Amino acid sequence: MGSTLLIGSCEPFSGKSALVLGIARHLRSAGARVLFGKPLATSLDWEPGEGTPPSPLIDDDVRFVGEILGLAEQDLLPSLHLLSAHSGKHRLADGVLTAGDGLDHLRSSLQQPDSGITLLEAAGSLHEGLLYGLSLVQLARDLDAPVVLVHLWEDSRSVDALLAAQQQLGERLRGVVLNAVTPEDVETLERDVVPALQALGIEVFGVMPRSPLLRSVTVGELVRRLDARVLCCREKLDLLVETLSIGAMNVNSAMEFFRRRRNMAVVTGADRTDIQLAALEASTQCLILTGAGDPLPQLISRADELEVPLLKVEQDTLGTVEVIEQAFGHVRLHEAVKATYAFRLVEEHCRLNDLFEAVGFEALAIPSN
C-alpha cells in the first residue's frame, strides 16, 4: 500500500508527532494531499463520566496536526477505538481482541486511487493496542503498510528495542529516526553507530538532537498535574518550562545558579521569601511554593508585575519535584512554537527523500537546493 505510512515507536513520547509534522509539511510542499489519523486514540480530552465519546472520534494530536498544517476536516481520520482504562475494562470482560469492522473500512478507504498520502500514527509502543487489535505490528500487517520508527537513543543498549522491532515487523520496517540524542553525540552516532545499524539491516533516516523546547511543559500542565492553586497571572499559563530549579540553598548561591538557567520552574518553600524574590528576577516561567503558609502580599504583587505565574501546592518539595520531572518529555506536542521547531528539526536532521524512496513516495521527493 504505497500511499500509506505508519509512524511508530518502541516507547511512548519518542517524537512521533514531530516526525509526522515534518513529513506532512514536506509532502504538502510537493503538492500532495495528506491525510492523518491515529487508529487508536491515545490523547483525548474526554472522561467516561461525560457520557459517550465524541463522534467522530478525532484524537487531540490529530486535531493539533490538522490545525498546524491547515488540513481539511475530511482529511483528519477518525480513530477506531479509544485507549482508556474504561474501554479496556469492557473489552477485557467481553474477550474482544479484534479491531472490528472499522479496520476493514479504513483499509478500503486507503485503497482508493484518489485517497492521497495517508500518515498513520501508531500507539506508544510495539505492543500497546493489542487489546484493541490495533498494535503497530497488527496495523502494519493488516494494512500491509510500511513502517518508520522514531526511537529514543541513549546508548548502545538502545539497539535491543530496534532489533526486537525488526524481528516483529520484518521487511515492513523500512527504517528509523534516532531522536533525543545528546547534541554533542550526534556526529559520533552518524559516523559510528549509523553504519553499524545499517549493516544489521536497519536503515537510519536521521539523527535528531535532544531539544529542551520539545521536552518542555506548559505552566498550565504543571498546574493540572500538581493540582496547584494559581495565585496570580492565570493568563500566562501557556508559558513553557524547560528546566527545573530547587530553591533550597542560600540566596547568594541561588542567584548565581538562577543566572545560568533559562525558562525555569522554581520550587521552593513558602517561607523562603529571599529565594522567591531572587527567582522572580531570573528567567523564571513560574514559581511554585510548597509547604505550609501563604506568600507575602508584596511577593504576589512583584510576581504579578513581572508576569510570572505564582503557584501554591499542598505537597512537599520532594513530591512536587518528582511530579515535575515526570512531566518533562512526557507531554503532547500541542503548542505552535513546538511545531515550528519540529519542522526545522526534521528538515535539518532527516533525509526525507531517502525515507520517501524507502516507503514508496519517491515521486514526491523534493530536489535539494
Side-chain angles (χ1 to χ4, degrees):
M1 192 176 297
S3 62
T4 302
L5 171 62
L6 271 167
I7 306 293
S9 61
C10 298
E11 59 184 286
F13 301 103
S14 295
K16 295 187 294 294
S17 293
L19 183 60
V20 165
L21 281 167
I23 289 175
R25 190 171 81 157
H26 200 89
L27 290 171
R28 282 171 62 81
S29 297
R33 177 191 176 193
V34 174
L35 297 85
F36 176 53
K38 291 173 64 174
L40 182 61
T42 59
S43 175
L44 193 67
D45 186 16
W46 174 83
E47 296 294 335
E50 299 174 0
T52 58
S55 180
L57 184 61
I58 305 292
D59 185 276
D60 291 345
D61 291 343
V62 174
R63 288 210 178 278
F64 175 75
V65 169
E67 291 171 4
I68 291 296
L69 295 173
L71 300 182
E73 186 73 18
Q74 62 266 29
D75 292 340
L76 305 182
L77 303 179
S79 297
L80 308 183
H81 294 288
L82 170 63
L83 175 68
S84 72
H86 178 74
S87 63
K89 178 181 177 180
H90 286 286
R91 290 185 68 85
L92 185 60
D94 295 340
V96 178
L97 298 178
T98 60
D101 295 340
L103 184 61
D104 295 330
H105 177 74
L106 175 62
R107 184 189 300 111
S108 297
S109 66
L110 297 180
Q111 292 173 341
Q112 299 303 313
D114 59 346
S115 61
I117 301 295
T118 302
L119 303 179
L120 297 177
E121 183 178 322
S125 65
L126 295 180
H127 62 268
E128 190 172 56
L130 278 168
L131 185 59
Y132 302 82
L134 294 173
S135 70
L136 173 61
V137 177
Q138 289 171 314
L139 284 170
R141 179 199 66 212
D142 294 341
L143 299 177
D144 192 22
V147 176
V148 171
L149 294 179
V150 186
H151 188 58
L152 297 177
W153 181 269
E154 186 174 352
D155 53 39
S156 58
R157 292 170 296 180
S158 303
V159 175
D160 283 345
L162 292 179
L163 293 174
Q166 185 184 44
Q167 288 181 352
Q168 295 182 57
L169 291 166
E171 63 181 19
R172 291 193 177 93
L173 176 60
R174 302 302 168 82
V176 304
V177 172
L178 304 180
N179 193 24
V181 177
T182 304
E184 53 267 28
D185 292 339
V186 169
E187 185 177 344
T188 301
L189 253 70
E190 290 176 337
R191 184 185 66 241
D192 300 333
V193 174
V194 170
L197 287 174
Q198 291 174 330
L200 294 173
I202 301 174
E203 186 68 33
V204 180
F205 298 121
V207 178
M208 300 198 297
R210 184 174 61 235
S211 163
L213 175 61
L214 292 184
R215 289 175 50 82
S216 66
V217 58
T218 64
V219 176
E221 179 68 13
L222 294 182
V223 170
R224 186 187 69 80
R225 291 184 179 229
L226 293 166
D227 193 22
R229 192 157 43 103
V230 182
L231 302 182
C232 73
C233 304
R234 183 172 290 276
E235 72 280 2
K236 294 292 183 180
L237 299 187
D238 58 347
L239 291 174
L240 290 171
V241 174
E242 296 183 8
T243 57
L244 171 64
S245 297
I246 306 171
M249 65 285 282
N250 66 62
V251 68
N252 290 329
S253 299
M255 290 178 67
E256 180 61 31
F257 180 75
F258 291 159
R259 290 192 189 102
R260 298 196 300 268
R261 310 281 280 184
R262 63 187 299 270
N263 297 335
M264 300 179 292
V266 177
V267 179
T268 191
D271 59 340
R272 293 299 306 271
T273 305
D274 53 347
I275 297 291
Q276 296 160 15
L277 290 170
L280 290 177
E281 304 301 325
S283 177
T284 300
Q285 302 291 71
C286 71
L287 182 57
I288 304 172
L289 309 184
T290 64
D294 290 316
L296 296 175
Q298 52 264 44
L299 176 73
I300 299 178
S301 177
R302 183 58 174 158
D304 196 37
E305 180 183 342
L306 295 173
E307 299 184 322
V308 177
L310 190 60
L311 314 182
K312 182 67 172 65
V313 297
E314 296 303 320
Q315 58 260 61
D316 60 18
T317 297
L318 180 60
T320 300
V321 168
E322 288 177 348
V323 171
I324 296 173
E325 287 182 335
Q326 178 63 29
F328 286 124
H330 291 82
V331 292
R332 303 290 176 182
L333 195 159
H334 284 180
E335 291 82 31
V337 64
K338 289 186 180 183
T340 300
Y341 187 82
F343 289 144
R344 193 177 76 187
L345 195 68
V346 172
E347 184 177 297
E348 292 180 358
H349 296 281
C350 294
R351 297 179 289 105
L352 289 183
N353 283 351
D354 291 343
L355 186 156
F356 291 159
E357 182 177 355
V359 302
F361 297 171
E362 61 268 20
L364 294 165
I366 296 178
S368 302
N369 293 329

